[in-house]
Amino acid sequence: MTPVSLEPNQQSTTTTITTSNSSQLPFGEYLFRRLEQVKNVKSIFGVPGDFNLGLLEHLYKTQLNWIGGCNELNSGYAADGYSRYTNSLGVLITTYGVGELSALNAIAGGFAEYSKILHIVGIPKTSVLNNEVEKAKHLHHLVPNIDSLKRSDHYVYTKMVKDVSCISKVLDDSKTIVEDLDQVIQAIFKTSRPGYIFLPLDMADALVDASKLSQTPADYHLIKDNHPLKTEEITQKILELVYKSKNPSILADVLVSRYHNATELLREFVDLTQFNNYTTFMGKSILDETNPNFVGDYIGLESNIGIKENMEASDLILYFGSYINEINTGHYSFDFSEDQLILLHPDYIKIGSEFYHGVNFVNVLSSLLIHLDSSKVPTNPPLQYEIKLRFPYLPSKASISQSHMLEKFESFVQPNDVIVCETGSFMFGIPDLKFKSNVKYIAQGFYLSIGMALPCSTGVGIAMKDQNSSSRLILVEGDGSAQMTIQEISSFVHYGLNPIIFLLNNSGYTVERIIKGETRDYNDIKQWNWSKAFEFFEFGDEKNSEVKIVSNEQELTKAFASTELNPTKLRFHEVILDKMDCPWRFHHMNGYRHLPATQ
Amino acid sequence: MTPVSLEPNQQSTTTTITTSNSSQLPFGEYLFRRLEQVKNVKSIFGVPGDFNLGLLEHLYKTQLNWIGGCNELNSGYAADGYSRYTNSLGVLITTYGVGELSALNAIAGGFAEYSKILHIVGIPKTSVLNNEVEKAKHLHHLVPNIDSLKRSDHYVYTKMVKDVSCISKVLDDSKTIVEDLDQVIQAIFKTSRPGYIFLPLDMADALVDASKLSQTPADYHLIKDNHPLKTEEITQKILELVYKSKNPSILADVLVSRYHNATELLREFVDLTQFNNYTTFMGKSILDETNPNFVGDYIGLESNIGIKENMEASDLILYFGSYINEINTGHYSFDFSEDQLILLHPDYIKIGSEFYHGVNFVNVLSSLLIHLDSSKVPTNPPLQYEIKLRFPYLPSKASISQSHMLEKFESFVQPNDVIVCETGSFMFGIPDLKFKSNVKYIAQGFYLSIGMALPCSTGVGIAMKDQNSSSRLILVEGDGSAQMTIQEISSFVHYGLNPIIFLLNNSGYTVERIIKGETRDYNDIKQWNWSKAFEFFEFGDEKNSEVKIVSNEQELTKAFASTELNPTKLRFHEVILDKMDCPWRFHHMNGYRHLPATQ
């Protein structure tokens, strides 16, 4: 973002924009009032810039909170976190060029992981876009054309987002912007993907008909069934197969958590059928892991012993909210035959070889619950294969190993905890854990952009606050990743959040050391005195925050024991680990190269 | 960037890649050896990731230094700074998706400001790109297709950089990659714009013919004259006009500093002609400001009193390295007639109404120096208009105002100092200063992305070290901007740099408060205890660093007096300013709204 605005028509500071009580409103106000009506939207993220200040002024006529980020990438990650927690919109506002581009990696991550981010970019006023202003030919924040004789292209950034958004619209026509806004929000909920609004500076003040606010419900989150007959047919086919099956299983994947109430519906389905149930790597925590029939996390060849064998021995697998990708499938090591599998995806349903396009699994799931005849449901046979960890304790040169930490972490995590886990080696230990009831686990398990978790957790924390949750927010962070986005740690204090942070200090990019360059300096990071973060970022005194260096098991036990269930202060633990220490799964993924010979 | 690499063919850690002494080399080694031959390239910037580790291994067979950044945006800014200081390549290495996208705003800034950044992105191996690997269908770091039934497009990111680069090539054919590399570097020097190399993981190890290393000089920085006859014709026309003129002037703009030895040539031309000479806002410090005929910075209506009047009274203006854009022209307020003006641009020369396309001003400048007959050159008449500051002292609610600080700053700056100035209000006071000899001033005066200056100055500092410069590096930074990219402050320590930092703490986004929202919370930033940066980022003890809070004039005087000419420690000054204090020019640009009524 940039400060230098030279738009001649811009008003001076804190102008009060008069709004009539009639059915007309300035579009900026209309926009925020509409967003306020969207389920679970109470806060807006972003960074101001001269092309969005005019819009931001309208925010103050609503109850929405402004959550300013230290930079746009961080705000993008925070909006993603807000969306993941609320299963609604995470709204991000940035400015032309400098702001929107800085956030692009967060948007791409949201796209790759089905996050409902609405990215609103403030752009120049319509007369500039239409080249009516000669003096704005080469405008600040805008890259000029490579051909120095040509005008700058005001839409150069707009074009860049085509493949990382489900929809993008330049809202430059006051006659259609109300409908345009609706279309963008609808598309975001329909696809669970980021969408873009490019808003010219002058359009924030353009008067629009506001009658929609009172007449048309903002029920974007509902998944309409466009093919009820197909849904009916699919339901019957699935139920027939279910009733015939002898050893059926349920596999829950991440997209369940992205569509309306699918998580609740699926949990109900699990309770009703009592089928053995599993989650994927990315689907972790969608199911109730205290359910007696919850088996564990199925990740193909990267599963724990027995999980793969039991899952693949099922004669029918109901795979809900499937997201088939490299990481989530244990590098494409899921091993099912077509006959075994029912794929229930937001875009299609696949029953054996039969393919139904355009049907969302949520509608099928609702229908299954309505039509299920519990008396016909087969009784689960006992699991054929014993489940056990592959490598429960991997040795480490440091006093604490990640293996030990994971074991203790399992009992540390309490019901209703919200865990945000950074991309890194620890993430690959999480599938070994069983969570207590209503734990929510958030991680970027496919796109894997390090630095995401810290700002993401500020967004999650804001969402929890907005939903009046008193649950604990736990952030597991790496040292290399934390350096990417560390400034956002101050947002915890600024917005009164009290996360419990575990910073795993393993002196650099451990995951990469395992892959290549164990001793190379490109895998080293700068030395920081992490525990001084509290003084630099103004965490206040001991009443507000507590910092601990954890370098042995006793300190770890103490750290896990000392946190209360309703945290009243921010807690920060720097856990000292060895450079090459990883959970077994990460070694396993990399061809067992560094695993101990025994076990 | 992400750590999780699952490329089956990747080797384990620190593999020694055997290289033959014959004419064949692995391309990764060839690439770095070729870069090593490019004038002034001694360090490489970036962040490791699983798709570039294979390439990075080859770096260790050369003398090039690896400068790891805390994140990719910062490394991009640092590469930009390196390029600006060296007038050569700033090389940036990032990884697929997560890394390259994070750096995109830095690249766009480099494009907008003619910076020679070579961005090398590690991408998946060729068999994956060619869709020969079924298991890589949906690869981590890669956004999938919005149509869930389609494969991911491996070139989705490659397409995004079209309008922010002069060239981009996927180097996927070992038979052509040596030529491809050359073409990319040539294009970067020819256009002084960023260029992209997308390097598949396996191509780093592909054997290529290395004979070019010893046979073809890496003289990319030389500007070839493709139209010597045109150059000759232009030279004669210009000289005729020069000899005829009565009151000629020279205006030096930023592009002079971007092409080979144009700065030296232009300074020579100034010395020979003794014409009155000016620089633009972005061209600041290109000319020797101790030259008796140096008048000042011409920024149209935003110039100091007398500068505009004198400049526009010239009957001939030789405008070298022109970059005509909104900010640089004082919002298009340059006021010349066509007859007065000779535009000397890298892509064209314009003499009055005559237009010559495809001629670079550097060749014309060389030719002018050869053919200039000093005896025919008119003698400069004295300046007609007195030069004075518009508002030398703007009052402030704080003890120190930017106006006072600027005045003291002028005498603080010593010959050979290198100044990096952040986008912000202070930047608009700089044109009021006259620099001593050989001061180098670096700022992003058109693209204006806040947060750029701090990481940029790490790149500048590395470049100074690489060139064995013992000059002082001065960084002027804002508090809001510093929060964007603060982590890179630790790179100063990590790489042994000793900048003198002035952090102007005005409690938020002052520039924006002037534009809109003086008291709005969107212009507030989080409270940090800046002086504790030293403990958190491990600056060591008083021998290595010194921190001072500067809140009154006496402390400011002391701060400016206490820094030695060959700094042996990093010095950090937090200067406390009022929220609404700005140099006069920034108020002026915004329609005088906040200027005091007097003056």
Side-chain angles (χ1 to χ4, degrees), chain A residues 2-3 6 13 57 60 68 71 135 138 140-141 148 326 331-332 347 447-448 483-484 487 511 513 515 520-522 526 529 536, chain B residues 2-3 6 13 57 60 68 71 135 138 140-141 148 326 331-332 347 447-448 483-484 487 511 513 515 520-522 526 529 536:
Chain A
T2 185
L6 301 146
T13 58
E57 280 299 312
Y60 297 88
N71 64 41
K135 289 190 173 186
H138 295 294
H140 70 284
H141 295 348
S148 52
E326 185 197 21
H331 303 88
Y332 291 102
D347 300 337
Y447 189 66
L448 301 173
Q483 289 200 349
M484 295 230 157
Q487 50 271 88
V511 158
R513 291 192 205 276
I515 298 168
R520 292 299 194 196
D521 65 354
Y522 61 70
K526 291 142 225 7
N529 192 344
F536 179 55
Chain B
T2 186
L6 301 147
T13 57
E57 280 298 312
Y60 297 89
N71 64 40
K135 289 190 172 186
H138 296 292
H140 70 285
H141 295 348
S148 52
E326 185 196 21
H331 303 89
Y332 291 102
D347 301 335
Y447 189 66
L448 301 172
Q483 290 201 347
M484 295 230 157
Q487 50 273 86
V511 159
R513 291 192 205 277
I515 298 168
R520 292 298 194 195
D521 65 353
Y522 61 71
K526 292 141 224 9
N529 193 344
F536 179 55

Coordinates of all heavy atoms in Angstrom, one line a residue, chain A residues 2-3 6 13 57 60 68 71 135 138 140-141 148 326 331-332 347 447-448 483-484 487 511 513 515 520-522 526 529 536, chain B residues 2-3 6 13 57 60 68 71 135 138 140-141 148 326 331-332 347 447-448 483-484 487 511 513 515 520-522 526 529 536:
Chain A
T2 N 0.3 2.3 -0.4 CA 1.1 3.5 -0.4 C 0.3 4.7 0.1 O -0.9 4.7 0.0 CB 1.6 3.8 -1.8 OG1 2.4 5.0 -1.7 CG2 0.4 4.3 -2.7
P3 N 1.0 5.6 0.6 CA 0.3 6.7 1.2 C 0.1 7.9 0.2 O -0.8 8.7 0.5 CB 1.4 7.2 2.2 CG 2.7 6.7 1.7 CD 2.4 5.6 0.8
L6 N -3.0 11.2 -4.9 CA -3.1 12.5 -5.6 C -4.3 12.6 -6.4 O -4.4 13.4 -7.3 CB -1.8 12.6 -6.4 CG -0.7 12.5 -5.3 CD1 0.5 11.8 -5.8 CD2 -0.4 13.8 -4.8
T13 N -9.4 14.6 5.4 CA -9.6 13.6 6.5 C -10.9 13.6 7.1 O -11.6 14.6 7.2 CB -8.6 13.9 7.6 OG1 -8.8 15.2 8.1 CG2 -7.2 13.9 7.1
E57 N -13.8 4.6 5.0 CA -14.6 5.5 5.7 C -16.0 5.0 6.0 O -16.6 5.3 7.0 CB -14.7 6.9 5.0 CG -13.4 7.8 5.2 CD -13.2 8.1 6.6 OE1 -14.1 8.6 7.3 OE2 -12.0 8.0 7.1
Y60 N -17.3 2.7 9.2 CA -17.6 3.2 10.5 C -19.1 3.5 10.7 O -19.6 3.9 11.8 CB -16.8 4.5 10.8 CG -15.3 4.1 10.8 CD1 -14.5 4.1 9.7 CD2 -14.7 3.6 12.0 CE1 -13.2 3.7 9.7 CE2 -13.4 3.2 12.0 CZ -12.6 3.3 10.9 OH -11.3 2.8 10.9
G68 N -6.6 -4.2 11.3 CA -5.4 -3.8 10.5 C -4.3 -4.8 10.7 O -3.9 -5.2 11.8
N71 N 1.1 -6.1 7.4 CA 1.3 -6.0 5.9 C 0.2 -6.9 5.3 O -0.5 -7.6 5.9 CB 2.7 -6.5 5.5 CG 3.0 -7.9 5.8 OD1 2.2 -8.8 5.6 ND2 4.3 -8.2 6.3
K135 N -3.6 13.3 -16.9 CA -2.6 13.4 -15.9 C -2.4 12.1 -15.1 O -1.5 12.1 -14.2 CB -2.9 14.6 -14.9 CG -2.7 15.9 -15.6 CD -2.7 17.0 -14.6 CE -2.4 18.3 -15.3 NZ -2.3 19.5 -14.3
H138 N 0.5 7.6 -16.3 CA 1.4 6.7 -15.6 C 1.2 7.0 -14.1 O 1.9 7.8 -13.5 CB 2.8 6.8 -16.0 CG 3.0 6.5 -17.5 ND1 2.8 5.2 -17.9 CD2 3.3 7.2 -18.6 CE1 2.9 5.2 -19.2 NE2 3.2 6.4 -19.7
H140 N 1.0 6.2 -10.0 CA 1.8 5.5 -9.0 C 1.1 4.2 -8.6 O -0.1 4.1 -8.7 CB 2.0 6.4 -7.7 CG 0.8 6.6 -6.9 ND1 -0.2 7.5 -7.3 CD2 0.4 6.1 -5.7 CE1 -1.2 7.5 -6.4 NE2 -0.8 6.6 -5.4
H141 N 1.9 3.2 -8.2 CA 1.5 1.9 -7.9 C 1.2 1.0 -9.1 O 0.9 -0.2 -9.0 CB 0.2 1.8 -7.0 CG 0.3 2.4 -5.7 ND1 1.5 2.7 -5.1 CD2 -0.6 2.7 -4.7 CE1 1.3 3.2 -3.9 NE2 0.0 3.2 -3.6
S148 N 7.4 1.8 -23.8 CA 7.3 3.1 -23.2 C 6.5 4.1 -23.9 O 6.2 5.1 -23.4 CB 8.7 3.6 -22.9 OG 9.5 3.6 -24.2
E326 N -1.6 -34.5 -4.0 CA -0.4 -35.1 -3.6 C -0.2 -35.4 -2.1 O 0.0 -36.5 -1.6 CB 0.8 -34.2 -4.1 CG 2.1 -34.8 -3.9 CD 3.2 -33.8 -4.0 OE1 2.9 -32.6 -3.9 OE2 4.4 -34.1 -4.3
H331 N 0.9 -39.0 -1.1 CA 1.6 -39.0 -2.4 C 0.9 -40.1 -3.3 O 1.6 -41.0 -3.8 CB 3.1 -39.2 -2.2 CG 3.6 -38.1 -1.4 ND1 3.7 -38.2 0.0 CD2 4.0 -36.9 -1.8 CE1 4.1 -37.0 0.4 NE2 4.3 -36.2 -0.6
Y332 N -0.4 -39.9 -3.4 CA -1.2 -40.8 -4.3 C -1.0 -42.3 -4.0 O -0.9 -43.1 -4.9 CB -0.8 -40.5 -5.8 CG -1.3 -39.1 -6.2 CD1 -0.5 -38.1 -6.3 CD2 -2.7 -38.9 -6.5 CE1 -0.9 -36.8 -6.7 CE2 -3.1 -37.7 -6.9 CZ -2.3 -36.6 -7.0 OH -2.7 -35.4 -7.4
D347 N -18.5 -30.9 -6.5 CA -18.8 -30.7 -7.9 C -19.4 -32.0 -8.5 O -20.0 -31.9 -9.6 CB -17.6 -30.4 -8.7 CG -17.0 -29.1 -8.2 OD1 -17.7 -28.2 -7.6 OD2 -15.8 -28.9 -8.5
Y447 N -1.2 -26.6 0.3 CA -0.4 -25.5 -0.4 C 0.9 -25.2 0.3 O 1.9 -24.9 -0.3 CB -1.3 -24.2 -0.3 CG -0.7 -23.1 -1.2 CD1 -0.6 -23.2 -2.6 CD2 -0.3 -21.9 -0.6 CE1 -0.1 -22.2 -3.3 CE2 0.2 -20.9 -1.3 CZ 0.3 -21.0 -2.7 OH 0.8 -20.0 -3.5
L448 N 0.9 -25.4 1.6 CA 2.2 -25.5 2.4 C 3.1 -24.2 2.3 O 4.3 -24.4 2.0 CB 3.0 -26.7 2.0 CG 2.3 -28.1 2.2 CD1 3.1 -29.2 1.6 CD2 2.0 -28.4 3.7
Q483 N 9.9 -16.4 11.3 CA 10.6 -15.2 10.9 C 10.0 -14.6 9.6 O 10.2 -13.4 9.4 CB 12.1 -15.6 10.5 CG 12.9 -16.0 11.8 CD 14.4 -15.9 11.6 OE1 14.9 -15.8 10.5 NE2 15.1 -15.9 12.7
M484 N 9.2 -15.4 8.9 CA 8.6 -14.9 7.7 C 7.5 -13.8 8.0 O 7.4 -12.8 7.3 CB 7.9 -16.0 6.9 CG 8.8 -17.0 6.4 SD 8.5 -17.4 4.7 CE 10.1 -18.0 4.2
Q487 N 5.9 -10.1 12.5 CA 5.3 -8.8 13.0 C 3.9 -9.0 13.5 O 3.4 -8.3 14.3 CB 5.4 -7.7 12.0 CG 5.0 -8.0 10.6 CD 6.1 -8.6 9.7 OE1 6.3 -9.8 9.7 NE2 6.8 -7.8 9.0
V511 N 12.9 -29.1 7.8 CA 12.3 -29.9 6.7 C 13.2 -29.9 5.5 O 13.3 -31.0 4.9 CB 10.9 -29.3 6.4 CG1 10.4 -29.8 5.1 CG2 9.9 -29.8 7.5
R513 N 16.5 -29.4 5.5 CA 17.7 -30.1 5.8 C 17.5 -31.6 5.5 O 18.5 -32.3 5.1 CB 18.1 -29.9 7.3 CG 18.6 -28.5 7.6 CD 19.2 -28.5 9.0 NE 19.1 -27.2 9.6 CZ 20.0 -26.1 9.4 NH1 21.0 -26.3 8.6 NH2 19.8 -25.0 10.0
I515 N 15.6 -32.9 3.3 CA 15.5 -33.1 1.9 C 16.9 -32.9 1.2 O 17.4 -33.7 0.5 CB 14.5 -32.1 1.2 CG1 13.1 -32.4 1.8 CG2 14.5 -32.3 -0.3 CD1 12.1 -31.3 1.5
R520 N 24.2 -26.9 4.8 CA 24.3 -25.7 4.0 C 23.8 -24.4 4.6 O 22.7 -24.5 5.3 CB 23.5 -25.9 2.7 CG 24.1 -27.0 1.7 CD 25.5 -26.6 1.3 NE 25.9 -27.5 0.2 CZ 27.1 -27.7 -0.3 NH1 28.1 -27.1 0.4 NH2 27.4 -28.4 -1.3
D521 N 24.4 -23.3 4.3 CA 23.9 -22.1 5.0 C 22.6 -21.6 4.5 O 21.9 -20.8 5.1 CB 25.0 -21.0 5.0 CG 25.3 -20.5 3.6 OD1 24.8 -21.1 2.6 OD2 26.1 -19.5 3.4
Y522 N 22.2 -22.1 3.3 CA 20.8 -21.7 2.8 C 19.7 -22.2 3.8 O 18.6 -21.7 3.7 CB 20.6 -22.0 1.4 CG 20.6 -23.5 0.9 CD1 19.6 -24.4 1.3 CD2 21.6 -23.9 0.1 CE1 19.6 -25.7 0.9 CE2 21.7 -25.3 -0.3 CZ 20.7 -26.2 0.1 OH 20.7 -27.4 -0.3
K526 N 18.6 -16.5 10.7 CA 19.3 -15.6 11.6 C 18.9 -16.0 13.0 O 17.9 -16.5 13.3 CB 18.8 -14.2 11.3 CG 19.3 -13.7 9.9 CD 18.3 -12.9 9.2 CE 18.1 -13.2 7.7 NZ 18.8 -14.3 7.0
N529 N 16.6 -13.7 19.6 CA 16.3 -14.0 21.0 C 14.8 -14.0 21.2 O 14.2 -13.0 21.6 CB 17.0 -12.9 21.8 CG 17.1 -13.2 23.3 OD1 16.4 -14.1 23.7 ND2 17.9 -12.5 24.0
F536 N 9.8 -6.3 22.8 CA 9.8 -5.5 21.5 C 8.4 -5.3 21.0 O 8.1 -4.2 20.7 CB 10.6 -6.3 20.5 CG 10.7 -5.6 19.1 CD1 11.1 -4.3 19.0 CD2 10.3 -6.3 18.0 CE1 11.1 -3.7 17.7 CE2 10.3 -5.7 16.7 CZ 10.7 -4.4 16.6
Chain B
T2 N 8.1 -23.8 0.7 CA 7.7 -24.8 1.6 C 8.8 -25.9 1.6 O 9.6 -26.0 0.7 CB 6.4 -25.5 1.1 OG1 6.1 -26.5 2.1 CG2 6.7 -26.3 -0.2
P3 N 8.8 -26.6 2.7 CA 9.8 -27.6 2.9 C 9.5 -28.9 2.3 O 10.4 -29.7 2.2 CB 9.8 -27.6 4.4 CG 8.5 -27.2 4.9 CD 7.9 -26.4 3.8
L6 N 8.7 -33.9 -2.3 CA 8.5 -35.4 -2.5 C 8.9 -35.8 -3.8 O 8.4 -36.8 -4.3 CB 7.0 -35.6 -2.1 CG 6.9 -35.0 -0.7 CD1 5.6 -34.4 -0.4 CD2 7.2 -36.1 0.3
T13 N 20.7 -35.2 1.5 CA 21.4 -33.9 1.9 C 22.9 -33.8 1.3 O 23.6 -34.8 1.2 CB 21.5 -33.8 3.4 OG1 22.1 -35.0 3.9 CG2 20.1 -33.8 4.0
E57 N 22.5 -26.1 -4.5 CA 23.7 -26.9 -4.2 C 24.8 -26.5 -5.1 O 26.0 -26.5 -4.7 CB 23.4 -28.4 -4.4 CG 22.7 -29.0 -3.2 CD 23.5 -29.0 -2.0 OE1 24.7 -29.4 -2.0 OE2 23.0 -28.6 -0.9
Y60 N 27.7 -23.5 -4.4 CA 28.9 -23.7 -3.5 C 30.1 -24.1 -4.3 O 31.2 -24.2 -3.8 CB 28.6 -24.7 -2.4 CG 27.5 -24.2 -1.5 CD1 26.1 -24.5 -1.8 CD2 27.8 -23.4 -0.5 CE1 25.1 -23.9 -1.0 CE2 26.8 -22.8 0.3 CZ 25.4 -23.1 0.1 OH 24.4 -22.6 0.8
G68 N 20.5 -15.2 2.4 CA 19.1 -15.7 2.7 C 18.3 -14.6 3.3 O 18.7 -13.9 4.2
N71 N 12.0 -13.6 4.3 CA 10.9 -14.1 3.4 C 11.1 -13.6 2.0 O 12.1 -12.8 1.8 CB 9.5 -13.6 4.0 CG 9.3 -12.1 4.0 OD1 9.7 -11.4 3.1 ND2 8.7 -11.6 5.1
K135 N 1.3 -39.2 -10.5 CA 1.2 -39.0 -9.1 C 1.5 -37.5 -8.7 O 1.4 -37.1 -7.6 CB 2.2 -39.8 -8.3 CG 1.8 -41.3 -8.3 CD 2.6 -42.1 -7.3 CE 2.0 -43.5 -7.2 NZ 2.7 -44.3 -6.2
H138 N -1.9 -33.2 -8.9 CA -2.2 -32.0 -8.1 C -1.0 -31.9 -7.0 O -1.1 -32.5 -6.0 CB -3.5 -32.1 -7.4 CG -4.6 -32.2 -8.4 ND1 -4.9 -31.1 -9.2 CD2 -5.5 -33.1 -8.7 CE1 -5.9 -31.4 -10.0 NE2 -6.3 -32.6 -9.7
H140 N 1.7 -30.1 -4.5 CA 1.7 -29.1 -3.5 C 2.4 -27.8 -4.0 O 3.2 -27.9 -5.0 CB 2.5 -29.6 -2.2 CG 4.0 -29.7 -2.4 ND1 4.6 -30.7 -3.1 CD2 5.0 -28.9 -2.0 CE1 5.9 -30.6 -3.1 NE2 6.2 -29.5 -2.5
H141 N 2.0 -26.7 -3.5 CA 2.4 -25.3 -3.9 C 1.7 -24.9 -5.2 O 1.8 -23.7 -5.6 CB 3.9 -25.2 -4.2 CG 4.8 -25.4 -3.0 ND1 4.3 -25.4 -1.7 CD2 6.1 -25.5 -3.0 CE1 5.3 -25.5 -0.9 NE2 6.4 -25.6 -1.6
S148 N -12.7 -28.9 -11.1 CA -12.0 -30.0 -10.3 C -11.8 -31.2 -11.1 O -11.1 -32.1 -10.7 CB -12.9 -30.3 -9.1 OG -14.2 -30.5 -9.4
E326 N 3.5 10.2 -13.0 CA 2.7 11.0 -12.1 C 3.5 11.7 -11.0 O 3.5 12.9 -10.9 CB 1.6 10.2 -11.5 CG 0.7 10.9 -10.6 CD -0.1 10.0 -9.7 OE1 0.3 8.8 -9.4 OE2 -1.2 10.4 -9.2
H331 N 3.0 15.5 -10.6 CA 1.7 15.3 -11.1 C 1.4 16.0 -12.4 O 0.5 16.8 -12.5 CB 0.6 15.7 -10.0 CG 0.9 14.9 -8.8 ND1 1.7 15.3 -7.8 CD2 0.5 13.7 -8.4 CE1 1.8 14.4 -6.9 NE2 1.1 13.4 -7.2
Y332 N 2.3 15.7 -13.3 CA 2.2 16.2 -14.7 C 2.2 17.7 -14.7 O 1.4 18.3 -15.5 CB 1.0 15.5 -15.4 CG 1.2 14.1 -15.7 CD1 0.6 13.1 -14.9 CD2 2.0 13.6 -16.7 CE1 0.8 11.7 -15.1 CE2 2.2 12.3 -17.0 CZ 1.6 11.3 -16.1 OH 1.8 10.0 -16.4
D347 N 14.6 4.3 -25.1 CA 13.9 3.7 -26.2 C 13.8 4.7 -27.4 O 13.5 4.3 -28.5 CB 12.5 3.3 -25.9 CG 12.5 2.2 -24.8 OD1 13.5 1.5 -24.6 OD2 11.4 2.1 -24.1
Y447 N 6.7 3.8 -7.7 CA 5.9 2.6 -7.3 C 5.4 2.8 -5.9 O 4.3 2.4 -5.6 CB 6.7 1.4 -7.6 CG 5.8 0.1 -7.5 CD1 4.8 -0.1 -8.4 CD2 6.0 -0.8 -6.4 CE1 4.0 -1.3 -8.3 CE2 5.2 -1.9 -6.3 CZ 4.2 -2.2 -7.2 OH 3.5 -3.3 -7.1
L448 N 6.2 3.3 -5.0 CA 5.8 3.7 -3.7 C 5.2 2.6 -2.8 O 4.1 2.7 -2.3 CB 4.8 4.9 -3.8 CG 5.3 6.2 -4.4 CD1 4.2 7.1 -4.6 CD2 6.4 6.8 -3.7
Q483 N 7.1 -1.8 10.1 CA 6.3 -2.9 10.6 C 6.1 -3.9 9.5 O 5.9 -5.1 9.8 CB 5.0 -2.5 11.3 CG 5.2 -1.7 12.6 CD 3.9 -1.7 13.5 OE1 2.9 -2.0 13.0 NE2 4.1 -1.3 14.7
M484 N 6.0 -3.5 8.3 CA 5.8 -4.4 7.1 C 6.9 -5.4 6.9 O 6.6 -6.6 6.6 CB 5.7 -3.6 5.8 CG 4.5 -2.6 5.8 SD 3.5 -2.8 4.3 CE 1.9 -2.2 4.8
Q487 N 11.4 -7.9 10.0 CA 12.3 -9.0 10.3 C 13.7 -8.9 9.6 O 14.7 -9.4 10.1 CB 11.7 -10.4 10.0 CG 11.1 -10.5 8.6 CD 9.6 -10.1 8.6 OE1 9.4 -8.9 8.4 NE2 8.7 -11.0 8.7
V511 N 1.1 9.7 6.3 CA 0.8 10.2 4.9 C -0.7 10.0 4.6 O -1.4 10.8 4.0 CB 1.7 9.4 3.9 CG1 1.0 9.4 2.5 CG2 3.1 10.0 3.9
R513 N -3.1 9.8 7.0 CA -3.9 10.7 7.8 C -4.1 12.0 7.1 O -5.1 12.7 7.3 CB -3.2 10.9 9.1 CG -3.1 9.7 10.1 CD -2.7 10.1 11.5 NE -2.0 9.0 12.2 CZ -2.7 8.1 12.9 NH1 -4.0 8.1 12.9 NH2 -2.1 7.2 13.5
I515 N -4.2 12.5 3.9 CA -5.2 12.3 2.8 C -6.6 12.1 3.4 O -7.5 12.7 2.9 CB -4.8 11.1 2.0 CG1 -3.4 11.3 1.3 CG2 -5.8 10.8 0.9 CD1 -2.7 10.1 0.7
R520 N -8.9 8.0 12.3 CA -9.5 6.7 12.1 C -8.5 5.6 12.6 O -7.3 5.7 12.4 CB -9.8 6.4 10.7 CG -10.9 7.2 10.1 CD -12.2 7.0 10.8 NE -13.4 7.5 10.1 CZ -14.6 7.7 10.6 NH1 -14.8 7.4 11.8 NH2 -15.5 8.2 9.8
D521 N -9.0 4.5 13.1 CA -8.1 3.4 13.6 C -7.4 2.7 12.4 O -6.4 2.0 12.7 CB -8.8 2.5 14.6 CG -9.9 1.7 13.9 OD1 -10.3 1.9 12.8 OD2 -10.5 0.8 14.6
Y522 N -8.0 2.8 11.2 CA -7.2 2.2 10.1 C -5.9 2.8 9.9 O -5.0 2.2 9.3 CB -8.1 2.0 8.8 CG -8.5 3.3 8.2 CD1 -7.6 4.2 7.5 CD2 -9.9 3.7 8.2 CE1 -8.1 5.3 6.9 CE2 -10.3 4.8 7.5 CZ -9.4 5.6 6.9 OH -9.8 6.8 6.3
K526 N 0.1 -0.9 15.5 CA 0.4 -1.5 16.8 C 1.6 -0.7 17.5 O 2.5 -0.3 16.8 CB 0.7 -3.0 16.6 CG -0.5 -3.8 16.2 CD -0.2 -4.8 15.2 CE -1.1 -5.0 14.0 NZ -2.1 -4.0 13.6
N529 N 7.9 -1.4 21.0 CA 9.0 -0.8 21.8 C 10.3 -0.9 20.9 O 11.1 -1.8 21.1 CB 9.2 -1.6 23.1 CG 10.0 -0.8 24.1 OD1 10.8 0.1 23.7 ND2 10.0 -1.2 25.3
F536 N 15.8 -8.4 20.7 CA 15.0 -9.4 20.1 C 15.8 -10.0 18.9 O 15.9 -11.2 18.7 CB 13.6 -8.9 19.7 CG 12.8 -9.9 19.0 CD1 12.5 -11.1 19.5 CD2 12.3 -9.6 17.7 CE1 11.7 -12.1 18.8 CE2 11.5 -10.5 17.0 CZ 11.2 -11.8 17.6

